[in-house]
Amino acid sequence: MARRVTLNLGIEGDLHDVTVVIPDDEPTPWQWGERFSIVGKSTPRVDGALKATGVAHYTYDLELPGMLHGAILRSPLPHARVRSVDLSAAKQMTGVRAVLALDDREIRFAGQEVAAVAALSSDIAADALRLIKVDYETLPFVVDMDAAMTDSAPRVFGSGSNLGRAITSSQGNVGRGLEQAASTIEATYTTPVQTHVALETHGAVASFNSAGDELTVWCSTQGIFSVRDDLAVYFNLPPDKVRVVCEFLGGGFGSKFGATPEMIICARLAKIAGAPVKVMLARGEEHRATGNRPSSVQAVKLGVDNGGKLTAIDLKQHGSGGIGGGAGSAGPFKSVYRCANIHTEERNVYINAGPSAPMRAPGWPQGCFALELAMDEMARKANIDRLDFRRRNSDNPVRIVEYEIGARVFGWSEKSALSKTSGYLKRGVGVASAEWHAVGVSGPEAQVIANRDGIVEVRVGTQDIGTGTRTVLAIVAAEELGLPLDKVKSEIGDTRFLFSVPSGGSMSAPSNTPAVRQASAHLKDKLFRIAAPMLGAAPNDLEAKDATIRVRTNPSRAVSFADVCKKIPGDSISAQGERIPNYEGFRTDQAGCQFAEVEVDTETGIVRVTRVVAVHDAGRIIDPLTARSQVNGGVMMGIGFALFEDRRMDPALGIMINPTMDDYKLLGALDVPLIDVTFVEVANGLSNTGVMGLGEVAHVASTAAVACAVYDALGVPVRALPITPDRVLAALGRA
């Protein structure tokens, strides 16, 4: 059965009563203005001490009895046909326990997997790789995107074109919108390939049972159940015969979904050897073979009328993720600003380089960079304040509020009016808008267990990719049960627990917290039935607060939570909950904006970001401390994309020439600016917790805001990322 509940939805100053229909066993959604004991208060991570002291064990740390060490032989050639693989010498080497040649007969990028070994030590495995003889037929290759688009270019995939089919989207009439515009701009913006650079590289430990019909894999993954399902299919095993464990994960950003090649290789070696095998990739392998954010070339046209309203948005974009797709960047163009006439066209270009993989808000940072820099150019041409121009063209009431908050905190009016020059230093400020859609999905289930000692366990088959998932889930359960956080333990990262979705697309918190809250509410009802005779009251008259179960109308009639647990008939009592589909709430999108301030050294061309103000909504914030950490990470990753990161390919050799932490430039500690974070609470009414994800939206605008600030400082836009000193000096030369 279902019931109707009236919720007060919206943002402060603009709240409306909305009636939603929810199942009878769903707890009443948390309401606007509701007072909480733990939710909304900054709480240190429950696993913070484990990580800080080194007690937390990652895949790399795992050591099993009799474990072997695996290594992968990778092609040095960007395009070749494998005629034969001679494993005989490696097989005979002392200490080698398993060798295999992979099935791929055509190599399409330098770094592709060819063969693998498992040995008693990593040194022996490395030596064994050198004994494997591969006969390659060298084939023509192309690693330059412009060259790949020509008719004479070598084909990456047989006889097919290197240029993928166009993906188009249209509304209105862009041609007419440009004709009717009072002002137009047209420019091309480019972004490079960015690799994920997770601190923990890809890797796994695999072990079969003695019969070879049960597989356990410990791995660095963002999706334990997707890995389980992939491995079950590959090895023709029932899913319940495959167990996947990921207790701690050192970063993913989108490249660690499903059973990646090294996981399958690891498991194959373990099956051959009849022993556990560990495969952890080296940094060079990580850069070349495990994924990247595709590049983009974005030709943009904008038109505005005399009132500063957009009349047309046109994007023609192509990009390359190597042998993979996913180079689209149209998302922001189609949804961030209001415009009647929008046309986008996107194409993938295939080259002989490592495959792409989803990366934190796929396509959106690239698109936001081009759109927002074009918006700045349009605003200046139309002689409109850049922030006011964005405000005039936004129809999201949350974003309008965020603009006002951000401008006040940042001091937009004052800083915009200041002189840009102080000697050789030029200063500039920029603003950019963000958007995402992290409303969560149905499917995850949770189990909450109360033990006789009064300790509560939360079990969910999700994984913590470094965003504080353990902490957030524990807070939700503690709030619902009226307990202090130290009485609740989160257990995650194991397919033996109930199903959950992969951690990507900012889905973890909005998908899992409602399941945990529902399970906690069901457990609370069971405990009320135990406590009712102790209090001489009906279960429906009870509430859980301050580590007690008490009579709602007479809180002095109470019994401690621990004493109620002592009355549990067995060792424990448990309840399950599920994440049901979203209700029809307030909005299914979320907004954000970021303001950036930069200093540009006109003698060296070096750009330094000095301050960022980030204003975001994420529904109800469960833990502001971990939420700020998410935003800080998104800002820092965006600065790295803006100023430093760039995968470089040698066009003559077809290899990545900067696959190390020395040569692939990342943001360093001294490059981190002052970051101010403000959250705008939105009552969205989409689930019983009202939580939305924050990982993507916190990153979308970061690069664009920096680029716009550099434009403000120089008076001329730098339309290609990264904004390196040579590009800055070239722009100054043009100015």
Side-chain angles (χ1 to χ4, degrees), residues 470-501:
R470 275 188 181 83
T471 305
V472 169
L473 299 185
I475 288 173
V476 170
E479 185 68 51
E480 186 67 22
L481 294 167
L483 292 173
L485 194 59
D486 62 3
K487 297 298 182 182
V488 179
K489 297 192 302 183
S490 289
E491 297 184 30
I492 63 174
D494 194 326
T495 55
R496 295 284 175 87
F497 300 150
L498 296 174
F499 172 82
S500 186
V501 293

mmCIF file of all heavy atoms in Angstrom, residues 470-501:
data_model
loop_
_atom_site.group_PDB
_atom_site.id
_atom_site.type_symbol
_atom_site.label_atom_id
_atom_site.label_comp_id
_atom_site.label_asym_id
_atom_site.label_seq_id
_atom_site.Cartn_x
_atom_site.Cartn_y
_atom_site.Cartn_z
ATOM 1 N N ARG A 470 31.438 5.503 3.951
ATOM 2 C CA ARG A 470 31.253 4.837 5.252
ATOM 3 C C ARG A 470 30.669 5.809 6.273
ATOM 4 O O ARG A 470 29.751 5.471 7.027
ATOM 5 C CB ARG A 470 32.597 4.323 5.781
ATOM 6 C CG ARG A 470 33.025 2.980 5.295
ATOM 7 C CD ARG A 470 34.275 2.526 6.045
ATOM 8 N NE ARG A 470 34.727 1.229 5.564
ATOM 9 C CZ ARG A 470 35.477 1.059 4.485
ATOM 10 N NH1 ARG A 470 35.855 2.112 3.772
ATOM 11 N NH2 ARG A 470 35.847 -0.149 4.099
ATOM 12 N N THR A 471 31.228 6.992 6.306
ATOM 13 C CA THR A 471 30.809 7.986 7.294
ATOM 14 C C THR A 471 29.374 8.423 7.052
ATOM 15 O O THR A 471 28.561 8.494 7.983
ATOM 16 C CB THR A 471 31.752 9.201 7.236
ATOM 17 O OG1 THR A 471 33.096 8.748 7.414
ATOM 18 C CG2 THR A 471 31.408 10.210 8.313
ATOM 19 N N VAL A 472 29.038 8.723 5.821
ATOM 20 C CA VAL A 472 27.695 9.197 5.491
ATOM 21 C C VAL A 472 26.641 8.149 5.840
ATOM 22 O O VAL A 472 25.597 8.467 6.426
ATOM 23 C CB VAL A 472 27.628 9.583 4.000
ATOM 24 C CG1 VAL A 472 26.189 9.814 3.565
ATOM 25 C CG2 VAL A 472 28.461 10.830 3.741
ATOM 26 N N LEU A 473 26.895 6.878 5.507
ATOM 27 C CA LEU A 473 25.922 5.830 5.803
ATOM 28 C C LEU A 473 25.765 5.631 7.307
ATOM 29 O O LEU A 473 24.645 5.419 7.801
ATOM 30 C CB LEU A 473 26.342 4.521 5.131
ATOM 31 C CG LEU A 473 26.444 4.536 3.605
ATOM 32 C CD1 LEU A 473 26.758 3.142 3.076
ATOM 33 C CD2 LEU A 473 25.179 5.074 2.966
ATOM 34 N N ALA A 474 26.862 5.706 8.038
ATOM 35 C CA ALA A 474 26.789 5.562 9.497
ATOM 36 C C ALA A 474 26.003 6.710 10.116
ATOM 37 O O ALA A 474 25.226 6.515 11.061
ATOM 38 C CB ALA A 474 28.196 5.494 10.086
ATOM 39 N N ILE A 475 26.184 7.919 9.598
ATOM 40 C CA ILE A 475 25.458 9.081 10.127
ATOM 41 C C ILE A 475 23.956 8.909 9.929
ATOM 42 O O ILE A 475 23.156 9.184 10.837
ATOM 43 C CB ILE A 475 25.949 10.376 9.449
ATOM 44 C CG1 ILE A 475 27.355 10.732 9.932
ATOM 45 C CG2 ILE A 475 24.995 11.535 9.727
ATOM 46 C CD1 ILE A 475 27.985 11.900 9.198
ATOM 47 N N VAL A 476 23.552 8.459 8.746
ATOM 48 C CA VAL A 476 22.123 8.287 8.472
ATOM 49 C C VAL A 476 21.506 7.267 9.425
ATOM 50 O O VAL A 476 20.421 7.498 9.998
ATOM 51 C CB VAL A 476 21.908 7.865 7.005
ATOM 52 C CG1 VAL A 476 20.460 7.440 6.766
ATOM 53 C CG2 VAL A 476 22.277 9.002 6.075
ATOM 54 N N ALA A 477 22.194 6.132 9.619
ATOM 55 C CA ALA A 477 21.671 5.115 10.534
ATOM 56 C C ALA A 477 21.639 5.635 11.967
ATOM 57 O O ALA A 477 20.657 5.416 12.695
ATOM 58 C CB ALA A 477 22.521 3.852 10.444
ATOM 59 N N ALA A 478 22.691 6.326 12.390
ATOM 60 C CA ALA A 478 22.745 6.852 13.755
ATOM 61 C C ALA A 478 21.632 7.865 13.990
ATOM 62 O O ALA A 478 20.995 7.871 15.059
ATOM 63 C CB ALA A 478 24.109 7.489 14.013
ATOM 64 N N GLU A 479 21.380 8.715 13.012
ATOM 65 C CA GLU A 479 20.308 9.713 13.148
ATOM 66 C C GLU A 479 18.950 9.041 13.289
ATOM 67 O O GLU A 479 18.140 9.410 14.151
ATOM 68 C CB GLU A 479 20.314 10.644 11.935
ATOM 69 C CG GLU A 479 19.334 11.791 12.015
ATOM 70 C CD GLU A 479 19.700 12.800 13.091
ATOM 71 O OE1 GLU A 479 20.862 13.254 13.115
ATOM 72 O OE2 GLU A 479 18.808 13.138 13.912
ATOM 73 N N GLU A 480 18.689 8.066 12.440
ATOM 74 C CA GLU A 480 17.380 7.411 12.470
ATOM 75 C C GLU A 480 17.168 6.633 13.763
ATOM 76 O O GLU A 480 16.044 6.568 14.279
ATOM 77 C CB GLU A 480 17.245 6.478 11.266
ATOM 78 C CG GLU A 480 15.879 5.848 11.104
ATOM 79 C CD GLU A 480 14.792 6.862 10.764
ATOM 80 O OE1 GLU A 480 15.123 7.959 10.259
ATOM 81 O OE2 GLU A 480 13.608 6.556 11.008
ATOM 82 N N LEU A 481 18.240 6.060 14.300
ATOM 83 C CA LEU A 481 18.133 5.249 15.513
ATOM 84 C C LEU A 481 18.394 6.030 16.790
ATOM 85 O O LEU A 481 18.345 5.461 17.887
ATOM 86 C CB LEU A 481 19.112 4.068 15.423
ATOM 87 C CG LEU A 481 18.788 3.047 14.325
ATOM 88 C CD1 LEU A 481 19.955 2.104 14.112
ATOM 89 C CD2 LEU A 481 17.519 2.277 14.662
ATOM 90 N N GLY A 482 18.703 7.315 16.665
ATOM 91 C CA GLY A 482 18.930 8.145 17.849
ATOM 92 C C GLY A 482 20.183 7.793 18.609
ATOM 93 O O GLY A 482 20.219 7.899 19.842
ATOM 94 N N LEU A 483 21.226 7.382 17.888
ATOM 95 C CA LEU A 483 22.455 6.922 18.527
ATOM 96 C C LEU A 483 23.619 7.870 18.257
ATOM 97 O O LEU A 483 23.638 8.563 17.232
ATOM 98 C CB LEU A 483 22.826 5.534 17.998
ATOM 99 C CG LEU A 483 21.917 4.378 18.378
ATOM 100 C CD1 LEU A 483 22.337 3.119 17.637
ATOM 101 C CD2 LEU A 483 21.940 4.152 19.884
ATOM 102 N N PRO A 484 24.623 7.878 19.143
ATOM 103 C CA PRO A 484 25.877 8.557 18.799
ATOM 104 C C PRO A 484 26.598 7.758 17.722
ATOM 105 O O PRO A 484 26.416 6.537 17.596
ATOM 106 C CB PRO A 484 26.654 8.561 20.116
ATOM 107 C CG PRO A 484 26.104 7.416 20.890
ATOM 108 C CD PRO A 484 24.657 7.303 20.500
ATOM 109 N N LEU A 485 27.432 8.437 16.945
ATOM 110 C CA LEU A 485 28.056 7.794 15.799
ATOM 111 C C LEU A 485 28.971 6.641 16.196
ATOM 112 O O LEU A 485 29.129 5.681 15.438
ATOM 113 C CB LEU A 485 28.839 8.832 14.987
ATOM 114 C CG LEU A 485 29.288 8.412 13.597
ATOM 115 C CD1 LEU A 485 28.100 8.027 12.734
ATOM 116 C CD2 LEU A 485 30.088 9.522 12.937
ATOM 117 N N ASP A 486 29.579 6.713 17.385
ATOM 118 C CA ASP A 486 30.507 5.650 17.768
ATOM 119 C C ASP A 486 29.807 4.336 18.097
ATOM 120 O O ASP A 486 30.465 3.322 18.358
ATOM 121 C CB ASP A 486 31.394 6.093 18.943
ATOM 122 C CG ASP A 486 30.603 6.408 20.204
ATOM 123 O OD1 ASP A 486 29.362 6.234 20.208
ATOM 124 O OD2 ASP A 486 31.219 6.848 21.187
ATOM 125 N N LYS A 487 28.487 4.325 18.053
ATOM 126 C CA LYS A 487 27.741 3.083 18.272
ATOM 127 C C LYS A 487 27.309 2.427 16.958
ATOM 128 O O LYS A 487 26.595 1.414 16.965
ATOM 129 C CB LYS A 487 26.502 3.353 19.131
ATOM 130 C CG LYS A 487 26.812 3.849 20.532
ATOM 131 C CD LYS A 487 27.613 2.832 21.333
ATOM 132 C CE LYS A 487 27.883 3.321 22.750
ATOM 133 N NZ LYS A 487 28.716 2.359 23.520
ATOM 134 N N VAL A 488 27.733 3.005 15.836
ATOM 135 C CA VAL A 488 27.344 2.488 14.532
ATOM 136 C C VAL A 488 28.592 2.188 13.709
ATOM 137 O O VAL A 488 29.501 3.019 13.615
ATOM 138 C CB VAL A 488 26.454 3.492 13.776
ATOM 139 C CG1 VAL A 488 26.072 2.940 12.401
ATOM 140 C CG2 VAL A 488 25.204 3.808 14.588
ATOM 141 N N LYS A 489 28.641 1.011 13.104
ATOM 142 C CA LYS A 489 29.747 0.624 12.232
ATOM 143 C C LYS A 489 29.224 0.418 10.815
ATOM 144 O O LYS A 489 28.188 -0.216 10.623
ATOM 145 C CB LYS A 489 30.405 -0.674 12.716
ATOM 146 C CG LYS A 489 31.053 -0.598 14.090
ATOM 147 C CD LYS A 489 31.934 -1.817 14.355
ATOM 148 C CE LYS A 489 31.156 -3.117 14.243
ATOM 149 N NZ LYS A 489 31.995 -4.302 14.566
ATOM 150 N N SER A 490 29.967 0.946 9.844
ATOM 151 C CA SER A 490 29.618 0.723 8.440
ATOM 152 C C SER A 490 30.486 -0.385 7.873
ATOM 153 O O SER A 490 31.715 -0.322 7.972
ATOM 154 C CB SER A 490 29.835 2.002 7.621
ATOM 155 O OG SER A 490 28.879 2.970 7.937
ATOM 156 N N GLU A 491 29.861 -1.376 7.262
ATOM 157 C CA GLU A 491 30.587 -2.438 6.583
ATOM 158 C C GLU A 491 30.164 -2.424 5.117
ATOM 159 O O GLU A 491 28.984 -2.602 4.793
ATOM 160 C CB GLU A 491 30.277 -3.791 7.222
ATOM 161 C CG GLU A 491 30.733 -3.893 8.677
ATOM 162 C CD GLU A 491 30.499 -5.271 9.245
ATOM 163 O OE1 GLU A 491 30.547 -6.245 8.462
ATOM 164 O OE2 GLU A 491 30.239 -5.375 10.452
ATOM 165 N N ILE A 492 31.128 -2.184 4.248
ATOM 166 C CA ILE A 492 30.846 -2.060 2.821
ATOM 167 C C ILE A 492 31.930 -2.801 2.041
ATOM 168 O O ILE A 492 32.843 -3.386 2.614
ATOM 169 C CB ILE A 492 30.806 -0.577 2.390
ATOM 170 C CG1 ILE A 492 32.176 0.085 2.611
ATOM 171 C CG2 ILE A 492 29.727 0.192 3.131
ATOM 172 C CD1 ILE A 492 32.272 1.500 2.080
ATOM 173 N N GLY A 493 31.809 -2.777 0.717
ATOM 174 C CA GLY A 493 32.882 -3.281 -0.130
ATOM 175 C C GLY A 493 32.961 -4.782 -0.262
ATOM 176 O O GLY A 493 34.055 -5.328 -0.426
ATOM 177 N N ASP A 494 31.820 -5.484 -0.239
ATOM 178 C CA ASP A 494 31.839 -6.940 -0.333
ATOM 179 C C ASP A 494 30.548 -7.391 -1.006
ATOM 180 O O ASP A 494 29.452 -7.008 -0.580
ATOM 181 C CB ASP A 494 31.945 -7.558 1.061
ATOM 182 C CG ASP A 494 32.308 -9.046 1.033
ATOM 183 O OD1 ASP A 494 31.880 -9.747 0.091
ATOM 184 O OD2 ASP A 494 32.993 -9.500 1.963
ATOM 185 N N THR A 495 30.650 -8.208 -2.059
ATOM 186 C CA THR A 495 29.455 -8.677 -2.745
ATOM 187 C C THR A 495 28.673 -9.699 -1.925
ATOM 188 O O THR A 495 27.587 -10.115 -2.355
ATOM 189 C CB THR A 495 29.800 -9.286 -4.120
ATOM 190 O OG1 THR A 495 30.782 -10.314 -3.960
ATOM 191 C CG2 THR A 495 30.319 -8.221 -5.067
ATOM 192 N N ARG A 496 29.170 -10.096 -0.772
ATOM 193 C CA ARG A 496 28.375 -10.931 0.130
ATOM 194 C C ARG A 496 27.265 -10.105 0.787
ATOM 195 O O ARG A 496 26.322 -10.675 1.345
ATOM 196 C CB ARG A 496 29.270 -11.559 1.207
ATOM 197 C CG ARG A 496 30.304 -12.533 0.657
ATOM 198 C CD ARG A 496 29.654 -13.862 0.290
ATOM 199 N NE ARG A 496 30.584 -14.779 -0.347
ATOM 200 C CZ ARG A 496 31.383 -15.619 0.303
ATOM 201 N NH1 ARG A 496 31.372 -15.650 1.624
ATOM 202 N NH2 ARG A 496 32.181 -16.431 -0.365
ATOM 203 N N PHE A 497 27.394 -8.792 0.772
ATOM 204 C CA PHE A 497 26.352 -7.927 1.298
ATOM 205 C C PHE A 497 25.290 -7.717 0.222
ATOM 206 O O PHE A 497 25.437 -8.160 -0.920
ATOM 207 C CB PHE A 497 26.930 -6.587 1.754
ATOM 208 C CG PHE A 497 27.976 -6.697 2.836
ATOM 209 C CD1 PHE A 497 28.990 -5.766 2.936
ATOM 210 C CD2 PHE A 497 27.944 -7.737 3.754
ATOM 211 C CE1 PHE A 497 29.954 -5.854 3.925
ATOM 212 C CE2 PHE A 497 28.903 -7.842 4.747
ATOM 213 C CZ PHE A 497 29.914 -6.895 4.836
ATOM 214 N N LEU A 498 24.226 -7.007 0.578
ATOM 215 C CA LEU A 498 23.146 -6.766 -0.367
ATOM 216 C C LEU A 498 23.596 -5.844 -1.492
ATOM 217 O O LEU A 498 24.505 -5.035 -1.342
ATOM 218 C CB LEU A 498 21.942 -6.164 0.364
ATOM 219 C CG LEU A 498 21.288 -7.077 1.416
ATOM 220 C CD1 LEU A 498 20.201 -6.329 2.170
ATOM 221 C CD2 LEU A 498 20.714 -8.325 0.772
ATOM 222 N N PHE A 499 22.916 -5.945 -2.612
ATOM 223 C CA PHE A 499 23.311 -5.267 -3.847
ATOM 224 C C PHE A 499 23.329 -3.743 -3.711
ATOM 225 O O PHE A 499 22.494 -3.137 -3.048
ATOM 226 C CB PHE A 499 22.352 -5.648 -4.969
ATOM 227 C CG PHE A 499 22.564 -4.851 -6.233
ATOM 228 C CD1 PHE A 499 23.559 -5.218 -7.123
ATOM 229 C CD2 PHE A 499 21.793 -3.728 -6.504
ATOM 230 C CE1 PHE A 499 23.771 -4.482 -8.284
ATOM 231 C CE2 PHE A 499 21.999 -2.988 -7.667
ATOM 232 C CZ PHE A 499 22.990 -3.366 -8.557
ATOM 233 N N SER A 500 24.304 -3.144 -4.407
ATOM 234 C CA SER A 500 24.303 -1.698 -4.593
ATOM 235 C C SER A 500 24.885 -1.382 -5.963
ATOM 236 O O SER A 500 25.417 -2.259 -6.654
ATOM 237 C CB SER A 500 25.099 -0.982 -3.502
ATOM 238 O OG SER A 500 24.951 0.430 -3.648
ATOM 239 N N VAL A 501 24.784 -0.116 -6.339
ATOM 240 C CA VAL A 501 25.210 0.328 -7.672
ATOM 241 C C VAL A 501 26.673 0.753 -7.634
ATOM 242 O O VAL A 501 27.240 1.009 -6.567
ATOM 243 C CB VAL A 501 24.334 1.498 -8.154
ATOM 244 C CG1 VAL A 501 22.916 1.019 -8.395
ATOM 245 C CG2 VAL A 501 24.353 2.655 -7.149
#
